[in-house]
Amino acid sequence: MCGMSQQHPDPGPPQRPARPDASMSLLTNVMDHSLDDGYAEASRRRDQEGTSGLPRTLRAKLWLAVGLVLAALVVTLGAAQARFAAPTVAKERQELIDRIEKGSAAADDLQRRVESLRETVDAQQREALKEQGGGTGDLVALLAGATPVEGPGVKLVVDDAKGTGGEAGGPRESSHFSDTGRVRDRDMQRVVNGLWESGAEALSVNGHRLTALSAIRAAGDAILVDNRPLVPPYTLLAVGDGRRLSTTFQDSADGQYLHVLQENYGIRTNISVQDSVRLPAAPSLVVRTAEPLKTGKGSNS
């Protein structure tokens, strides 16, 4: 037993002393790893993709600033272009205005020439009527409407109804017009013919002198007298014995017709005796003559 050496176990490397904060591992981990692994991974991925740099909010503001700069640049270029183009547009506009003014002036000159020639022709026609009429030249000119006239007479005003309704029946029941409250051309024809038959020596409608050749027609809802449109109210002036002319017309068939229109359809009428009315000459006078046909012995007349 004594001859055998006693073997002792190898103690190994020396042991390090324990850290004082070994019992505070959680706090130590927090201090050593202040950034969460997920955030660290995201940061590493951004670095790999090259998207690291400015924050998102700052990048958005930067893009907004770039957009505003581009918009300002576009507006500036547009304003500059408009400023350079403005003189050209203004010049073209002024040229167009000058052309319109010249055309209007030329049309006015032609209209004045037409009126002057028309007055000359009317004067020559009146003189021809007086010469050809012999001792009755003034009467012929009066009947033809070639001269203005003045004297006692009546004033008859005919106007459309305030409404368009009316009772059924009456002299206009077969009218194809739905608006029976309007004065029609045939109504005006009857009124004018009634005044002539009642003794009117001269007659005018809205200042337009009527003659034996005057025509009263319709164009849509408008009444035409010698192709000139009239607008209501229609004022008729008749030269003659005022009281007798008024009474005779109201008692005539045409006067009664006008009264029925007033009662059934609301057409407004008013007739009054005038001490003096003045009628102009007819604006366009057509002189027509007729001669007997000369026949020979061998004619088959």
Side-chain angles (χ1 to χ4, degrees):
M1 300 264 322
C2 292
M4 296 180 64
S5 62
Q6 186 178 0
Q7 294 182 356
H8 298 281
D10 187 6
Q15 298 292 330
R16 295 179 59 185
R19 293 179 54 179
D21 58 352
S23 61
M24 304 173 64
S25 59
L26 179 59
L27 180 60
T28 301
N29 185 44
V30 171
M31 294 298 293
D32 293 340
H33 303 86
S34 58
L35 184 64
D36 186 81
D37 294 339
Y39 287 103
E41 178 64 23
S43 177
R44 189 165 47 254
R45 187 168 55 250
R46 284 198 301 270
D47 293 340
Q48 293 176 357
E49 295 176 356
T51 58
S52 61
L54 297 176
R56 180 180 300 176
T57 304
L58 187 57
R59 289 200 306 271
K61 291 182 179 179
L62 181 60
W63 282 112
L64 178 60
V66 172
L68 291 177
V69 170
L70 291 177
L73 181 61
V74 171
V75 172
T76 303
L77 292 177
Q81 185 178 3
R83 184 178 64 181
F84 287 124
T88 304
V89 175
K91 182 179 179 180
E92 294 177 352
R93 181 175 181 273
Q94 188 60 42
E95 291 178 353
L96 181 59
I97 293 175
D98 294 340
R99 289 177 58 188
I100 293 175
E101 291 178 350
K102 290 180 181 179
S104 299
D108 293 340
D109 291 339
L110 292 175
Q111 184 64 32
R112 285 191 290 268
R113 291 184 58 188
V114 169
E115 294 295 336
S116 177
L117 292 174
R118 181 175 296 166
E119 292 177 357
T120 301
V121 171
D122 290 345
Q124 292 177 354
Q125 288 179 341
R126 295 186 190 102
E127 292 298 326
L129 283 174
K130 292 180 180 180
E131 293 176 1
Q132 297 297 328
T136 61
D138 292 338
L139 178 59
V140 172
L142 171 65
L143 297 177
T147 57
V149 295
E150 184 177 5
V154 297
K155 177 182 179 181
L156 174 61
V157 180
V158 183
D159 197 0
D160 294 337
K162 292 183 178 180
T164 57
E167 297 178 2
R172 306 171 85 189
E173 60 181 353
S174 60
S175 173
H176 62 280
F177 295 100
S178 61
D179 184 4
T180 55
R182 278 183 172 271
V183 179
R184 301 299 180 187
D185 58 324
R186 57 178 179 171
D187 303 331
M188 190 61 61
Q189 291 171 1
R190 293 202 59 169
V191 171
V192 169
N193 289 333
L195 288 172
W196 283 123
E197 293 177 359
S198 299
E201 300 175 6
L203 194 61
S204 70
V205 180
N206 285 12
H208 184 86
R209 181 75 173 272
L210 300 180
T211 67
L213 301 177
S214 296
I216 300 177
R217 299 187 180 90
D221 290 335
I223 295 178
L224 304 182
V225 176
D226 293 336
N227 294 325
R228 295 191 178 187
L230 304 181
V231 295
Y234 307 102
T235 302
L236 295 94
L237 298 178
V239 175
D241 186 342
R243 295 187 181 277
R244 181 179 178 181
L245 182 59
S246 175
T247 302
T248 304
F249 172 75
Q250 295 184 67
D251 292 340
S252 66
D254 297 316
Q256 293 298 318
Y257 173 85
L258 186 61
H259 180 71
V260 171
L261 295 183
Q262 182 180 8
E263 292 294 328
N264 287 4
Y265 303 102
I267 288 179
R268 293 167 288 178
T269 65
N270 181 39
I271 188 169
S272 60
V273 178
Q274 303 290 317
D275 294 334
S276 177
V277 294
R278 180 176 176 81
L279 278 62
S284 58
L285 179 63
V286 180
V287 180
R288 298 178 181 178
T289 58
E291 297 179 358
L293 180 63
K294 296 180 181 180
T295 59
K297 295 182 180 181
S299 64
N300 296 326
S301 58

